[in-house]
Amino acid sequence: MREMSTNFWVRVKRLLFKTSLTALPVRLLLTISLILGLLVSSHSLRASHIIGGEINYEFVGFKGGRIGSDTLLYRVVLLLVRDCNGGAAFDRSVPIAVYLGNNARPLLNLRISNPKIARVPPDQSNPCLIIPPGFCEEEAVYSDTFELVRSNQAYTLTYQVCCRNANISNIPNSTGTLGNTFTVEISPQAQNFASSSPHFTAAPKSELCVGVSSAVKLAVADKDGDRLTYHLCAPLLGGGPLGGGLNDMHLANSAQGIKPDPATPGPYEELPFSATFSANRPLGNTGFLALDSTTGTLRILPRTLGNFTLGVCVKEYRNGELIGNIRRDIQIKVSNCNFAIDAMVKSDSTDGQGKFWLKSCNRPNFAFQNTSTGQDKVFAYRWEFDINGRMESRDTKDASFDFGTPGTYNGLMILNPGTVCTDTARVVVQVFPSVKAQFDVSLPGCAIGAVEFNNTSVLNQGASFRTIEWNFGDNNRSSSVSPQHTYSRAGTYSVNLAILTNTGCRDTARREVNYFPAPSDAIRLQAQPGEVCAQAGQLNLSLTVPPEMNHPRYLVEWDFGDGSSGTGFTVGKTYANPGTYTIAYQLTAPGGCGVQGNNASRPIVVKEKPSVDFTFTPEEPSARDPLVTFAESSTLADNWRWDFGGKGTSNERNPSFLFPSEGNYAVKLVVGNGLFCRDSVIREVKIKSEGAMYIPNVFSPNENGANEVFKPLGLLPGISNYQFKVFSRWGQLVFQSNDPEEAWNGKINNQGESCGQGTYFFQVVFQSAAGKTVSKQGTVMLLR
């Protein structure tokens, strides 16, 4: 079928593109349909390549992130293993049926696509045994996340596919029609615990050697740290042979089809074993296989060649209660393996055929290192060398020989000499006259510049440089004979020179290079500020140097000009006494370079701190006349800054300020001596409101021009929410106003009939400019 498919598809494509489907004869359409069906069934439907796998789940959270929600999020993982020495490739998508409780119809039928496919490497834990060629296994991981509503019933997740290989020794599967069921149950307990199932983190060992015992620790992990137990169990049946031929392709997804879609509900039938085999004895009577239920260690000794299928169940317990179980379907292959040892010696080169070359230029004494493989099968060693006509031998794993003089020497290293299981390495040693790597260093003095390296290496007669490699200790290299190099930073650098001659001789030389330049024209003194206050202001001093001099081994010493000193690239200084100071510095580099300097051109001025005080008049100002005059009484001050309680400022020496209303004001005066000497004081000014408002107790609206109206007098500016009301002795409201300027003229609401002579009651309420509520009430006599 594969041989004819290329030409067949070429003919079909030409026919389809030349002729519309409606124009094709019915017989031709049927023929194409049958051939396509045959190709699909033979290349993708039959899955006899599946040799193992499992299905597991992982709890990943609650829907919407709401902890405790009844909608649970799970990641389901289907892992399949196939023999890639034939058969179809993995399907691009698989259906996983989800059943709730004992329901016969699936609640969901998940379809997971785009598996992650990787090659499974063979087990090489025993280097003495060679697994026969042809081992080829692939692993596909199908995974997706879905939602389940918390239930008091179990959810069962199942995938089924046919068919197992026909040549399995321990099951009756000569027709190759026994299929696979991969299933896992999410129990109510697992749902309540928001638990994840155990899962295999690595494929169990599948290639075994007949007659060789193995101890295999199963790699199983549990995200929740629950207690796990391990048991041999039977793999499960699933699917069937239907749908694999031309006439029954439509049955492929049926319960007995080769790819049931959806998978059938449980319970599922166990895989039958042939006579003398069982789930607990998958290798039969001749082989040995035991599983430690606590550690998960498989101990296996196969004695019969063939393919064998078995199952491993891992049960999950929490607080002593069984909450989950996974089942791994495994197929192992038992083969004849070759015993292997390989004689090898650590060398400079080898021809891959058992011959090893070693070279030396500076030492005739060689310490050979035995790197043979399969050394757990080696019980004896033999080294032999012809040294100037004298045969020398050693009987140790590693060996040392002194060859004395330059020359070429041939020898042997033999594993298990005199036995059937032996191997020999031929060893060739070349001893050359010595070479010596060395060099001189020339620094640029105290300047910032290139360091010169002079290669003075001594070569043996007739030799020349093959390679030269300088490592300047700052991640920079050179292959020049005698290079120059400029360092970007000061420091001590370990410089290495490695040489290789045309005769294969190597040598290295190493020297410490101290590069600490100190050019006088590259250093600057920084002093901030240029004027400070005695006993209060700090002067910050620093030396600025180029990046090449940025290194802690430089010593900087300061003379502050007042008998005190300091050290460091950056220092702070506070002077006790006023005056003018010249500051000097001395920078000393490792190796002797030094630079001196001072600030004589711009000395530091230190001023005496001023003192501050002030008075004000009047001492008890009122809101009726809130103008206050201030008089400062500071010493050594030459500038002033007033803050009148946040209502205004002034730079005058003795200012006056009109406060907006009654209240308490924190007046602050800051005086300075120069730019940086400061002193300040705060005093409270109280603007009183007492006596500001008064209300007459009599008025006579008789039109004689005197005392005609009645209202509160002496109200201060800035009042708000003003209310003025007048009542008769019987409580009648005869006048009201919200205007502080409006007065009562003795008439009802200032417009009606005149009120009679007598006593009247008043109320006045308002809010002062300072935010204080003022309320006053009393009587007034109206005279006519």
Side-chain angles (χ1 to χ4, degrees):
M1 180 64 75
R2 291 181 179 174
E3 295 176 356
M4 57 83 67
S5 60
T6 301
N7 292 332
F8 167 77
W9 280 113
V10 170
R11 293 195 298 273
V12 169
K13 286 182 179 179
R14 288 174 180 171
L15 182 59
L16 290 176
F17 281 100
K18 284 184 177 181
T19 310
S20 70
L21 289 176
T22 56
L24 287 173
V26 174
R27 181 174 297 177
L28 179 56
L29 285 174
L30 290 175
T31 302
I32 294 174
S33 177
L34 287 173
I35 297 175
L36 288 174
L38 179 60
L39 289 174
V40 170
S41 65
S42 62
H43 283 276
S44 62
L45 292 180
R46 185 168 290 276
S48 60
H49 59 293
I50 299 297
I51 62 173
E54 66 172 296
I55 186 169
N56 59 70
Y57 62 88
E58 178 187 7
F59 173 76
V60 296
F62 298 94
K63 184 177 181 180
R66 299 187 299 272
I67 297 177
S69 168
D70 282 339
T71 302
L72 312 176
L73 301 180
Y74 287 96
R75 176 175 175 262
V76 60
V77 178
L78 171 65
L79 183 144
L80 299 177
V81 182
R82 82 178 190 101
D83 180 358
C84 44
N85 284 317
F90 288 113
D91 291 336
R92 298 307 301 168
S93 66
V94 296
I96 296 181
V98 181
Y99 288 93
L100 176 60
N102 296 322
N103 290 329
R105 299 186 64 181
L107 178 69
L108 299 170
N109 195 26
L110 306 174
R111 187 162 296 278
I112 306 178
S113 303
N114 302 319
K116 295 182 180 179
I117 300 174
R119 183 67 63 89
V120 179
D123 177 65
Q124 295 288 347
S125 59
N126 189 343
C128 295
L129 299 174
I130 301 175
I131 295 178
F135 175 89
C136 182
E137 288 183 6
E138 282 185 340
E139 182 181 86
V141 178
Y142 301 80
S143 67
D144 200 358
T145 301
F146 69 105
E147 299 176 1
L148 286 179
V149 177
R150 192 193 310 268
S151 173
N152 58 7
Q153 299 183 75
Y155 288 98
T156 302
L157 286 64
T158 304
Y159 169 71
Q160 293 174 323
V161 66
C162 186
C163 301
R164 300 174 186 271
N165 295 340
N167 58 347
I168 301 178
S169 303
N170 61 347
I171 61 174
N173 193 36
S174 59
T175 58
T177 58
L178 295 181
N180 307 263
T181 290
F182 301 100
T183 186
V184 69
E185 180 183 279
I186 308 178
S187 68
Q189 297 92 327
Q191 299 171 51
N192 291 332
F193 288 137
S195 174
S196 300
S197 72
H199 65 280
F200 280 74
T201 59
K205 185 174 181 180
S206 61
E207 285 281 341
L208 302 176
C209 298
V210 65
V212 177
S213 61
S214 302
V216 182
K217 179 69 169 67
L218 298 178
V220 179
D222 183 76
K223 177 181 178 181
D224 307 307
D226 294 323
R227 183 172 67 90
L228 304 179
T229 62
Y230 305 83
H231 312 274
L232 293 174
C233 58
L236 300 178
L237 281 174
L242 300 183
L246 290 174
N247 298 323
D248 60 352
M249 288 187 302
H250 63 286
L251 298 175
N253 297 130
S254 67
Q256 293 300 315
I258 61 177
K259 293 186 178 181
D261 186 8
T264 61
Y268 300 107
E269 184 179 357
E270 292 185 348
L271 185 70
F273 283 87
S274 301
T276 73
F277 297 95
S278 67
N280 290 322
R281 303 185 66 181
L283 297 183
N285 295 330
T286 59
F288 172 82
L289 188 147
L291 175 59
D292 190 307
S293 63
T294 302
T295 65
T297 301
L298 269 173
R299 299 189 180 278
I300 313 172
L301 177 57
R303 294 190 175 92
T304 305
L305 299 175
N307 296 313
F308 301 85
T309 188
L310 61 107
V312 173
C313 288
V314 182
K315 295 182 178 180
E316 178 186 17
Y317 291 86
R318 184 175 300 186
N319 301 326
E321 181 181 11
L322 177 64
I323 65 172
N325 178 32
I326 63 168
R327 185 186 305 259
R328 181 67 181 245
D329 198 324
I330 303 170
Q331 181 176 309
I332 60 176
K333 181 179 181 180
V334 180
S335 308
N336 281 314
C337 300
N338 295 324
F339 174 74
I341 59 173
D342 191 2
M344 300 176 68
V345 177
K346 186 177 181 181
S347 61
D348 298 315
S349 61
T350 179
D351 62 358
Q353 302 296 321
K355 195 170 188 178
F356 302 86
W357 282 271
L358 295 90
K359 299 178 181 179
S360 176
C361 297
N362 300 334
R363 54 179 179 82
N365 189 295
F366 271 75
F368 295 96
Q369 183 177 348
N370 190 328
T371 59
S372 302
T373 62
Q375 297 213 29
D376 59 333
K377 300 296 182 181
V378 178
F379 51 85
Y381 303 89
R382 178 75 173 180
W383 297 81
E384 296 178 351
F385 270 101
D386 183 349
I387 302 178
N388 299 322
R390 183 184 73 258
M391 183 62 66
E392 291 194 17
S393 63
R394 308 284 189 271
D395 293 325
T396 56
K397 175 185 174 183
D398 303 319
S400 296
F401 290 87
D402 188 352
F403 296 97
T405 59
T408 300
Y409 302 87
N410 293 280
L412 301 174
M413 192 277 292
I414 308 170
L415 302 178
N416 295 336
T419 68
V420 174
C421 181
T422 185
D423 195 26
T424 300
R426 291 172 292 165
V427 185
V428 180
V429 177
Q430 293 177 294
V431 180
F432 294 98
S434 64
V435 297
K436 182 173 180 58
Q438 58 189 24
F439 61 92
D440 295 329
V441 180
S442 178
L443 296 170
C446 294
I448 296 174
V451 179
E452 297 181 355
F453 296 92
N454 183 27
N455 188 341
T456 60
S457 300
V458 178
L459 307 184
N460 48 51
Q461 186 176 2
S464 61
F465 291 115
R466 177 183 297 173
T467 61
I468 299 174
E469 183 177 358
W470 294 86
N471 185 333
F472 299 116
D474 62 349
N475 296 323
N476 287 289
R477 300 174 183 273
S478 175
S479 59
S480 300
V481 176
S482 295
Q484 293 184 345
H485 180 63
T486 301
Y487 290 98
S488 61
R489 292 285 188 274
T492 298
Y493 297 92
S494 182
V495 179
N496 188 78
L497 169 63
I499 61 174
L500 172 65
T501 67
N502 59 339
T503 59
C505 294
R506 302 175 184 271
D507 196 25
T508 60
R510 183 183 298 272
R511 287 187 61 175
E512 300 293 322
V513 175
N514 291 304
Y515 177 68
F516 291 95
S520 59
D521 58 350
I523 299 174
R524 297 289 183 270
L525 168 62
Q526 299 280 340
Q528 296 292 336
E531 177 185 300
V532 294
C533 190
Q535 301 180 0
Q538 177 172 288
L539 176 67
N540 297 312
L541 299 168
S542 64
L543 280 188
T544 60
V545 297
E548 290 85 350
M549 296 176 60
N550 187 8
H551 196 281
R553 289 185 61 189
Y554 284 93
L555 173 64
V556 179
E557 300 172 288
W558 299 87
D559 182 347
F560 299 123
D562 65 345
S564 63
S565 60
T567 60
F569 275 92
T570 301
V571 295
K573 168 64 179 175
T574 299
Y575 286 91
N577 301 308
T580 301
Y581 295 90
T582 298
I583 298 172
Y585 67 85
Q586 169 76 44
L587 181 145
T588 305
C593 291
V595 179
Q596 296 179 345
N598 58 54
N599 69 333
S601 61
R602 298 183 65 182
I604 301 300
V605 177
V606 181
K607 291 198 170 186
E608 186 173 351
K609 183 179 180 180
S611 64
V612 62
D613 202 358
F614 70 87
T615 60
F616 57 90
T617 58
E619 293 183 355
E620 296 183 356
S622 69
R624 186 172 297 281
D625 184 13
L627 180 65
V628 179
T629 300
F630 296 89
E632 67 89 22
S633 55
S634 304
T635 60
L636 298 176
D638 59 12
N639 57 83
W640 300 264
R641 174 71 177 177
W642 296 85
D643 184 335
F644 301 110
K647 302 300 181 180
T649 61
S650 175
N651 292 324
E652 296 181 20
R653 183 173 184 176
N654 297 304
S656 295
F657 185 73
L658 183 64
F659 289 91
S661 62
E662 77 273 12
N664 298 337
Y665 298 90
V667 178
K668 181 178 182 180
L669 171 61
V670 180
V671 301
N673 182 8
L675 296 176
F676 298 98
C677 275
R678 294 283 183 269
D679 195 12
S680 64
V681 66
I682 297 176
R683 300 198 182 283
E684 187 177 63
V685 176
K686 298 181 179 180
I687 306 297
K688 298 182 179 180
S689 62
E690 288 80 6
M693 180 183 74
Y694 69 96
I695 301 175
N697 57 7
V698 64
F699 78 111
S700 57
N702 52 13
E703 299 181 357
N704 64 356
N707 200 19
E708 294 284 340
V709 295
F710 171 65
K711 73 170 186 175
L713 301 177
L715 294 176
L716 297 176
I719 67 173
S720 60
N721 300 326
Y722 177 82
Q723 292 182 356
F724 177 43
K725 298 179 180 180
V726 180
F727 302 88
S728 70
R729 74 175 89 182
W730 297 282
Q732 179 186 3
L733 179 66
V734 297
F735 174 77
Q736 66 176 347
S737 176
N738 299 114
D739 184 358
E741 299 297 327
E742 186 177 8
W744 182 39
N745 62 9
K747 296 180 180 181
I748 294 176
N749 292 327
N750 283 355
Q751 297 178 355
E753 61 180 291
S754 297
C755 295
Q757 180 171 301
T759 301
Y760 291 84
F761 299 92
F762 70 85
Q763 288 180 347
V764 60
V765 180
F766 61 86
Q767 194 169 19
S768 69
K772 180 179 179 182
T773 300
V774 179
S775 177
K776 200 163 188 179
Q777 59 187 11
T779 62
V780 62
M781 176 65 72
L782 187 156
L783 299 177
R784 292 207 179 264

